[in-house]
Amino acid sequence: MDLPKTPSFTLPGKRALVTGAGRGIGLAAAAALAQAGAEVTLAARTLADVEAAAAALRAQGLAAQALSLDVTDLTRMQEELDATEPFDVLVNNAGTNRPSAFLDVTVENFDLVMNINVRAAYFVAQTVARGMVKAGKGGSIIHISSQMGHVGSARRSIYCASKWAMEGFSKAMAIELAPHKVRVNTLAPTFIQTPMTKPFFEDEKFRASVVGMIKLGRIGEVEDLMGAIVFLASDASALMTGSSLVVDGGWTAE
Ligand code: NAP
């Protein structure tokens, strides 16, 4: 009897780019992809961070290199990425948050968050997708969105706007790129312990309110996302595009 065979969760021979890979979720995504066999380029503004991360991966016998890149500098970003071999996988992760009461939101903070979470993420995806289409081998684009791309939350009107925008362009990209076998999905995590969220959780009341919303009763760790990253990057998700993988401990179930 011929039993169905589980598609591969490994990524041998694949080239992956992770933006914002110096720490937090991006670093975990880079480690996950490298451990699955991909050759990973880790990009961030702070070259020392990505160099240290790439060196740590290489020390484990994995394939990794660092790239100094500010994704908001669109001209330079396009030049840098056009100068590399095309990628098979993009983890479009660089992003930020400036929590603020809606009535107090400043134009400066609105522009700062939208500039990186929407404008830069959109054009990084376009640049990498052009390379994928030209290479003609297909690919997987993973946008790091958020549960806040599916719901609303107090003090997060800019962040929600940015991640709902990402969910929107991800779906539109998926439709246009499907004929080229380029899959486009988002990963939508709940609150994860990272350098970005560390200051938020110093407020004990806020921390308790977050844990109260996560039905599994704990804040996420970056390791909670690593399996999802490998799944979305690999043939295991071959029929998945235009979708969102929500890893939220049950936050949005209610
Ligand atoms: P983080 O700890 O602040 O790390 C962000 C990374 O992005 C750093 O490596 C940073 O390095 C890089 N980065 C920032 N601005 C950049 C730029 N202009 N160009 C290139 N790289 C840049 O953030 P995180 O918590 O891991 O979050 C990563 C992503 O996950 C974001 O898109 C965030 O919205 C999303 N997310 C986070 C959570 C959470 O709870 N942590 C939940 C859902 C979604 P440099 O400063 O050196 O450039």
Side-chain angles (χ1 to χ4, degrees), residues 20-217:
R23 53 181 187 263
I25 292 170
L27 175 57
L33 296 173
Q35 286 159 15
E39 179 198 332
V40 183
T41 299
L42 296 90
R45 290 170 304 183
T46 313
L47 185 59
D49 282 358
V50 273
E51 271 183 342
L57 290 170
R58 285 196 300 270
Q60 293 190 354
L62 305 172
Q65 63 259 328
L67 177 66
S68 162
L69 190 69
D70 179 347
V71 292
T72 64
D73 181 347
L74 299 188
T75 306
R76 182 162 171 257
M77 177 276 292
Q78 281 159 350
E79 282 167 7
E80 286 282 344
L81 299 185
D82 285 348
T84 66
E85 291 293 304
F87 292 99
D88 304 287
V89 175
L90 166 66
V91 178
N92 204 6
N93 166 77
T96 197
N97 191 1
R98 290 290 182 280
S100 167
F102 172 68
L103 298 181
D104 298 331
V105 165
T106 61
V107 173
E108 189 191 5
N109 275 345
F110 183 94
D111 287 346
L112 187 146
V113 173
M114 288 304 206
N115 190 36
I116 177 162
N117 290 15
V118 181
R119 188 171 183 268
Y122 182 98
F123 285 103
V124 166
Q126 184 196 56
T127 305
V128 173
R130 281 177 176 161
M132 287 175 170
V133 168
K134 209 166 158 196
K137 295 185 296 171
S140 173
I141 293 177
I142 304 163
H143 297 296
I144 306 300
S145 170
S146 168
Q147 65 185 11
M148 299 305 174
H150 296 276
V151 294
S153 192
R155 296 176 53 80
R156 279 173 172 67
S157 57
I158 319 173
Y159 191 72
C160 288
S162 75
K163 295 301 187 182
W164 280 74
M166 175 174 257
E167 293 291 336
F169 70 69
S170 184
K171 285 189 193 302
M173 283 175 63
I175 293 165
E176 284 194 39
L177 297 176
H180 302 282
K181 302 287 179 274
V182 174
R183 299 185 298 107
V184 189
N185 293 289
T186 72
L187 175 60
T190 188
F191 282 89
I192 306 289
Q193 310 259 18
T194 68
M196 184 181 87
T197 53
K198 193 166 178 280
F200 309 161
F201 294 135
E202 279 158 13
D203 175 349
E204 268 311 315
K205 228 173 106 194
F206 177 73
R207 186 186 181 88
S209 77
V210 165
V211 173
M213 291 290 285
I214 299 175
K215 306 298 172 275
L216 290 174

